[in-house]
Amino acid sequence: MPTINSDAARARLALEVLASAGAPLTRASIWRTVLEEMPLTQAEREPHASGVTRGQTSWAWTTAEFVKAGWLVKGGAAGWSITSEGMEALEREPDADALRAEARAQYTAWTKSRDSKRASTLHTGIVPQDAAQEEVLRAARLFVERGLSAGESVFAPGRSIWNRTVVAELVREFVESDGAVGDGFVGKIAAQLADASDDAKLLMAELVTLQLLPASITAIGEKKKRERVQEVLGFMTHPVQIPSEIDQAFSGGSFNPGTRMSSALGAAMTVIVNFLEAWVELDGDQHEALLGDAWAMRDLVMGTPGETFPSQRYALLYMLHPDVFVSVVSTKHKTAIRDAFIGEIGGTASDDLDRDLLGITVALQVKENGPVHFYSEPLKSRWIPAADTKVTDEGSSPDFETDLPVDPSPDRPRFPRASTEFASSLHMDAEWPQMALDLLERRRQIILHGPPGTGKTFLARKLADHISVGGESLLVQFHPSYSYEDFVEGFRPRTEHGNLSYELKPGPFRRIAAEALKNPDRNYVLVIDEINRGNLPKIFGELYFLLEYREQRIALLYGSDSSFSFPENVYIIGTMNTTDRSIALLDAAMRRRFAFLEMHPDLEPTRSVLPRWLTSRGLPQEAGVLLQALNARIVDRSARIGPSYLMPSDGDLSEARLTEIWRHELLPLLEEYHYGEGRNIESEYGLAALRRTIHPVAGE
């Protein structure tokens, strides 16, 4: 069995690797480096039932203690990272065993106090609703501790930017320069801060982060949050990186800020900057008092100059004192909730809405012995009817339901139109690709089918790239041995230092679904090439159900997710070669779940693709005429040849190249088709034979 010494040394080494890197690293890369320094013993190489070695499992548990000690952060888009406390621990304690003992003591204390602390917290303040909200609030603490308390940069600790000088510059350049123009909120910031210092730009990036973090991913997705912050950081001459503790919180959220926040980001940000201007004018004792007294902080936030903007002010209060202020930013919603549940605190409302909501939330937490979800059943239906859905205010949209921060899916992003330029890249008129886009948007799953060479895969990839800008398109190819484990998820073998182990790995379907779930404002497309060559019932398994009923939730085969749903913003484009398998041979369940678009050389738009391509290249039309003559001689419609064979990527369709394509690509296909019939393929389908047929047409 692994010794404590090896566990401690490897865990400490992981911290040292991260400290030396100065940037987040993936778990796998850290483990490889650790093993290079400290290889596993024979006993440590023994695998558990899961296939993971005992040494790696022990290392994982030890590093988990470092996480609870606040020294290490696991997760996020960038990987693992060391915290400032972890750096201090490395410097403070050179002995690995002593370091591990300190972490274990903190972990043990945390474990023992967790349940009692949770129970006491339920009685004294508002607790986070879920893990995603906890991530947001952990990130919010960095803004309190580094920014408001220490006056330091949240992204670059030790760099003083939350101070009078930098804030005054931000007020001058952002708040007072209202005449600046730019493309959207970020474009306007770029114009306003064009001549500002890097410190001011960094502070603005951090305030934009503070504004975005609590927004539910149903309002703004993970990628858009990260991209917006990175855009502002990009205005700096010397940009800094987003800390992993904050980056990993982008995938969560606490509430939908409403349409008012989305349409007036500048005014909302002005409230935050004005609050910070008031903050830096106060002394240390006043700061300490405000951070310890939520109600005094409320007076400061609500008294800050600027638009009334309750949703932004409530959002700021929630980030600063989440144990006191509920994660609801609409005045209308807060009032409706108070009126519906006032009986929990005696039935008489006071003149302080926030205090009433605190009392109600704590009472419900104690009663349910857990967090309170006002936007989920059974509570949601009790208070929504009590609101006047026709009344609007700051942070609330005219449609009452669109402000719900949990569960409701946003409208699926509409696809870009098929422009003339896009259609030209396909060698088509715009009508057909627009029809295909409309069908895909409505049905969400389509299959392009037809004979070989009709450009099905090319078109599928072009459509996918067209609609997934900012999202992702992914291509997989089915084949007879492809399985559920390849497509969805399954246990995959891996060899580590000569030892075989197994781990549950997500397939392309799970990976794209996970990304889409975190970014519902973007389109994701899964292209399945040769979809009919796989055993579809075996590959899709229980997903057959979700292809038709996306709003439902099911348990996956291997239990990695007991309540999985297929995101609305994932689209599937399949391609199907009809010479391999007819549509009629697909089972009815699959045919019902997909819409089918035929790509056939006799039909538009495929029929005109080659002539258009030849014209765009300045080439003679003979190749198109030859192809039509060839297909006219092929009796079986499903065996006719598509134009792609005569559209080489390098544009070379000289006589020598045309002869080569005909002799080595097209005639072998026809030989296989007529196998055993004893026919002379060259005399029927050869270039010379076809040219004799079309001689009058070609003008030779």
Side-chain angles (χ1 to χ4, degrees):
M1 293 294 291
T3 65
I4 291 179
N5 287 337
S6 62
D7 294 343
R10 289 194 186 100
R12 179 186 174 84
L13 185 54
L15 289 184
E16 291 174 350
V17 169
L18 287 166
S20 299
L25 298 173
T26 64
R27 179 183 187 276
S29 66
I30 297 171
W31 180 236
R32 283 195 299 269
T33 304
V34 168
L35 286 181
E36 289 173 2
E37 294 288 330
M38 295 188 63
L40 298 178
T41 65
Q42 182 62 38
E44 290 173 328
R45 287 197 291 270
E46 294 179 8
H48 288 286
S50 64
V52 180
T53 63
R54 294 181 180 275
Q56 185 173 358
T57 301
S58 184
W59 176 75
W61 278 110
T62 306
T63 55
E65 295 171 359
F66 284 13
V67 171
K68 295 304 179 186
W71 302 341
L72 177 66
V73 175
K74 297 181 179 182
W80 291 16
S81 62
I82 187 172
T83 65
S84 57
E85 292 81 1
M87 298 287 287
E88 293 172 1
L90 279 178
E91 295 177 3
R92 180 178 66 250
E93 186 52 75
D95 183 74
D97 288 336
L99 187 69
R100 198 277 176 85
E102 181 182 342
R104 172 169 281 184
Q106 293 192 37
Y107 181 78
T108 301
W110 175 83
T111 302
K112 289 181 178 179
S113 65
R114 179 176 52 191
D115 292 339
S116 59
K117 182 179 179 180
R118 178 175 177 270
S120 63
T121 303
L122 291 174
H123 287 77
T124 58
I126 300 172
V127 299
Q129 296 174 0
D130 51 38
Q133 201 172 85
E134 287 179 356
E135 291 280 7
V136 170
L137 296 181
R138 273 195 291 270
R141 288 302 304 169
L142 297 178
F143 287 86
V144 172
E145 294 168 0
R146 295 178 184 175
L148 295 180
S149 296
E152 297 180 352
S153 166
V154 181
F155 288 5
R159 182 172 177 173
S160 177
I161 63 171
W162 289 55
N163 57 50
R164 290 182 181 179
T165 302
V166 180
V167 172
E169 183 181 4
L170 204 56
V171 169
R172 182 176 63 254
E173 301 295 336
F174 176 76
V175 177
E176 296 176 356
S177 62
D178 199 36
V181 295
D183 184 13
F185 174 61
V186 175
K188 188 173 182 180
I189 290 178
Q192 291 172 310
L193 302 187
D195 298 323
S197 67
D198 263 14
D199 282 349
K201 293 171 182 175
L202 177 56
L203 179 56
M204 175 57 78
E206 294 179 359
L207 296 183
V208 168
T209 305
L210 181 63
Q211 184 182 57
L212 291 175
L213 275 175
S216 167
I217 58 171
T218 61
I220 178 170
E222 176 189 25
K223 285 187 176 181
K224 184 175 287 187
K225 290 180 183 180
R226 184 177 297 113
E227 287 172 1
R228 184 174 293 173
V229 174
Q230 288 173 333
E231 277 189 89
V232 180
L233 288 172
F235 301 152
M236 299 173 63
T237 304
H238 303 290
V240 303
Q241 298 300 306
I242 302 171
S244 58
E245 304 105 307
I246 291 175
D247 187 87
Q248 65 188 4
F250 284 144
S251 61
S254 299
F255 49 76
N256 187 325
T259 54
R260 171 65 175 136
M261 184 86 79
S262 301
S263 61
L265 286 171
M269 180 54 67
T270 297
V271 171
I272 297 177
V273 175
N274 287 342
F275 160 74
L276 191 54
E277 182 185 26
W279 178 265
V280 296
E281 292 300 320
L282 304 175
D283 60 33
D285 290 341
Q286 291 172 308
H287 288 168
E288 184 177 351
L290 287 166
L291 292 175
D293 186 343
W295 308 111
M297 180 67 82
R298 182 180 64 171
D299 292 340
L300 177 64
V301 171
M302 291 303 183
T304 294
E307 291 190 24
T308 54
F309 227 126
S311 56
Q312 180 58 79
R313 295 175 192 264
Y314 284 138
L316 189 55
L317 284 172
Y318 166 74
M319 293 290 277
L320 299 180
H321 286 284
D323 58 329
V324 173
F325 299 103
V326 293
S327 56
V328 180
V329 296
S330 164
T331 303
K332 180 175 59 181
H333 291 198
K334 294 173 76 165
T335 303
I337 292 169
R338 193 265 306 272
D339 293 346
F341 298 102
I342 193 63
E344 302 293 338
I345 55 173
T348 303
S350 72
D351 57 358
D352 192 322
L353 179 60
D354 292 314
R355 290 182 188 271
D356 287 346
L357 287 172
L358 172 61
I360 288 169
T361 305
V362 169
L364 290 172
Q365 286 177 172
V366 173
K367 180 181 293 187
E368 301 299 327
N369 194 33
V372 173
H373 302 264
F374 286 115
Y375 289 96
S376 299
E377 296 298 353
L379 301 183
K380 183 174 72 171
S381 59
R382 285 192 55 193
W383 66 270
I384 286 183
D388 181 357
T389 61
K390 298 183 184 301
V391 175
T392 64
D393 61 13
E394 304 289 343
S396 178
S397 67
D399 179 0
F400 193 77
E401 293 293 329
T402 58
D403 267 350
L404 297 181
V406 181
D407 291 337
S409 300
D411 291 336
R412 295 199 309 276
R414 291 197 61 82
F415 298 165
R417 300 286 297 176
S419 64
T420 302
E421 293 75 18
F422 175 66
S424 295
S425 71
L426 306 177
H427 309 291
M428 300 177 181
D429 290 325
E431 288 77 11
W432 194 93
Q434 185 59 54
M435 177 274 294
L437 291 171
D438 291 342
L439 185 62
L440 179 59
E441 185 173 23
R442 185 171 68 255
R443 291 295 305 275
R444 287 176 285 186
Q445 291 125 210
I446 65 172
I447 289 179
L448 306 177
H449 65 98
T454 47
K456 301 179 293 295
T457 302
F458 170 81
L459 181 57
R461 296 182 69 176
K462 292 285 283 187
L463 291 172
D465 291 343
H466 181 71
I467 66 178
S468 64
V469 176
E472 181 182 355
S473 64
L474 183 65
L475 184 143
V476 297
Q477 188 176 68
F478 283 3
H479 49 78
S481 62
Y482 204 73
S483 67
Y484 177 96
E485 287 74 16
D486 297 313
F487 185 56
V488 184
E489 63 181 2
F491 285 98
R492 315 301 298 172
R494 66 173 183 172
T495 302
E496 193 169 65
H497 298 281
N499 297 302
L500 181 66
S501 61
Y502 293 86
E503 63 180 330
L504 187 62
K505 298 285 287 184
F509 181 87
R510 284 302 311 266
R511 293 197 300 270
I512 201 167
E515 284 298 308
L517 188 63
K518 293 187 293 185
N519 298 281
D521 55 335
R522 306 196 177 197
N523 298 318
Y524 288 76
V525 186
L526 182 61
V527 177
I528 304 177
D529 198 31
E530 305 284 4
I531 191 171
N532 56 315
R533 294 187 64 223
N535 184 334
L536 298 183
K538 177 183 176 182
I539 294 172
F540 279 94
E542 67 273 11
L543 299 181
Y544 255 28
F545 175 79
L546 291 181
L547 290 177
E548 187 169 7
Y549 303 103
R550 294 212 185 187
E551 71 282 359
Q552 301 297 316
R553 309 186 75 86
I554 60 173
L556 294 181
L557 176 62
Y558 289 102
S560 65
D561 193 336
S562 60
S563 183
F564 176 78
S565 65
F566 193 13
E568 297 274 353
N569 56 322
V570 176
Y571 302 86
I572 297 178
I573 305 176
T575 70
M576 177 176 171
N577 191 335
T578 50
T579 59
D580 294 333
R581 189 182 188 190
S582 167
I583 293 176
L585 297 180
L586 289 180
D587 63 77
M590 178 58 70
R591 278 185 279 141
R592 187 174 70 248
R593 286 160 170 79
F594 283 81
F596 290 81
L597 288 171
E598 186 176 19
M599 307 295 297
H600 195 277
D602 293 347
L603 303 175
E604 296 295 352
T606 312
R607 180 182 177 87
S608 297
V609 165
L610 181 56
R612 288 172 180 265
W613 181 84
L614 293 168
T615 299
S616 70
R617 298 276 180 162
L619 298 172
Q621 293 292 322
E622 185 198 26
V625 180
L626 285 168
L627 183 63
Q628 290 185 22
L630 173 66
N631 282 327
R633 294 191 173 196
I634 301 174
V635 177
D636 185 350
R637 185 174 182 274
S638 66
R640 289 172 185 162
I641 307 299
S644 298
Y645 288 100
L646 301 178
M647 299 168 62
S649 58
D650 60 4
D652 177 12
L653 205 60
S654 61
E655 180 64 22
R657 185 68 172 277
L658 181 63
T659 301
E660 176 187 287
I661 293 171
W662 218 272
R663 180 175 300 160
H664 300 295
E665 297 184 44
L666 300 187
L667 293 184
L669 284 176
L670 295 166
E671 286 176 354
E672 181 181 359
Y673 172 66
H674 290 296
Y675 180 76
E677 297 180 9
R679 298 169 68 163
N680 189 324
I681 300 301
E682 179 70 35
S683 65
E684 286 191 61
Y685 303 114
L687 273 177
L690 292 173
R691 277 181 167 141
R692 285 193 296 270
T693 301
I694 68 170
H695 178 75
V697 178
E700 296 181 357

